[in-house]
Amino acid sequence: MRSHHIDTTGGPSINCRGQLLSLATPVVMGIINVTDDSFYEGSRMHGLHQVVEKAGQHLQEGAAILDLGAQSSRPGATMLGPEEELNRLLPAVHAILNHYPEAIISVDTWYAAVAEKTVHAGAAIINDISAGELDQEMIPVAGRLQVPYIAMHMQGKPATMQHKPQYEDVVREVLDYMVAKLAACRAAGIRDFIADPGFGFGKTLEHNYALMKDLSLFRDILGVPLLTGISRKSMIYKLLDITPAEALNGTTVLNTIALLHGTHILRVHDVKAAVEAVRITEKMKGN
């Protein structure tokens, strides 16, 4: 298992329950879906032993963060209520930390109550695909909990987001949204803000590639860590006319482009391939 050290070169870092995670070298976040209907079948977990096994595999392959989600956010998915989400997430958080006490767990939720209870159970990061839009309590709660907060841009809601998404200028609009969201989060006391442009969330294929092309603008203008989540998404498999199961190669290509454009965190299903992309791009950058 690789350790992730504090970097002394002054690069960005986030405070995960007192553990400083350096992002000076980009890190990989491994997806663990405690769901029955994630869009990518290979990531669905049934039973706690499978969750723990997947966590162990991700950590072994070099993941710095484990992203635990119980809600499928694929277009048209049915939404779980907070109680059902907690019933799936809490046992998973406990089980992972029981086996891997040093693991940094991020919880993928838009419910403030779920975020609060899972953080009290040991999770260290909140990953909110709605950036506080689906629960007005989320940003104040994240500020109170003093944990890193990942805010993602999404046009519409998961059920409707892919129904004719429209922008005049997708890059400018998502950037403006993030500038305003960062200010709101800072005002709520959130110190570690991580921006996620939300690839595939209320965006067409063209929108997604326009965002990828200008990803470095987000890093330069916002001045905060960037998360990129494009693993096996439709911007890859629809373009290449393949299935999500066949989209690992395309994912690696896009992850590499994202790294060269300054992303700090890659959120992926396949940790080993992403870690290799990080190592190669870092070598190319002379690090």
Side-chain angles (χ1 to χ4, degrees), residues 196-208:
D196 177 354
F199 290 98
F201 284 81
K203 281 115 187 154
T204 62
L205 199 71
E206 282 68 30
H207 294 144
N208 286 321

Side-chain angles (χ1 to χ4, degrees), residues 11 16 41 45-46 49 101 134 145-146 165-166 206 211 223 227 245 277:
C16 305
E41 205 174 329
M45 296 291 114
H46 306 279
H49 66 285
L134 293 178
L145 292 169
Q146 285 297 298
Q166 286 177 339
E206 282 68 30
L211 284 168
L227 181 143

Side-chain angles (χ1 to χ4, degrees), residues 3-7 11-16 18-25 27-28 63-65 104 125 265:
S3 59
H4 298 274
H5 299 294
I6 296 168
D7 186 88
S13 62
I14 53 174
N15 187 341
C16 305
Q19 194 177 340
L20 265 194
L21 176 63
S22 170
L23 303 177
T25 297
V27 300
V28 175
I65 304 166
I104 295 173
I125 300 170
I265 303 170

Side-chain angles (χ1 to χ4, degrees), residues 98-171:
N98 199 27
H99 284 78
Y100 305 104
E102 297 298 301
I104 295 173
I105 295 176
S106 138
V107 170
D108 189 345
T109 183
W110 57 69
Y111 295 118
V114 173
E116 189 150 30
K117 290 194 168 103
T118 49
V119 166
H120 287 316
I125 300 170
I126 299 167
N127 181 11
D128 179 6
I129 65 164
S130 86
E133 306 287 349
L134 293 178
D135 186 340
Q136 300 308 305
E137 285 303 302
M138 178 61 100
I139 288 172
V141 162
R144 265 205 320 278
L145 292 169
Q146 285 297 298
V147 289
Y149 180 66
I150 301 164
M152 192 195 80
H153 174 275
M154 166 171 59
Q155 191 177 88
K157 293 184 177 177
T160 58
M161 63 186 180
Q162 287 308 94
H163 183 65
K164 297 188 180 157
Q166 286 177 339
Y167 302 86
E168 277 180 32
D169 179 340
V170 68
V171 174

Side-chain angles (χ1 to χ4, degrees), residues 72-94:
S72 176
S73 55
R74 65 192 170 87
T78 42
M79 280 167 71
L80 288 183
E83 295 80 11
E84 177 59 30
E85 200 177 74
L86 261 178
N87 289 344
R88 292 186 189 186
L89 287 175
L90 272 179
V93 171
H94 288 305

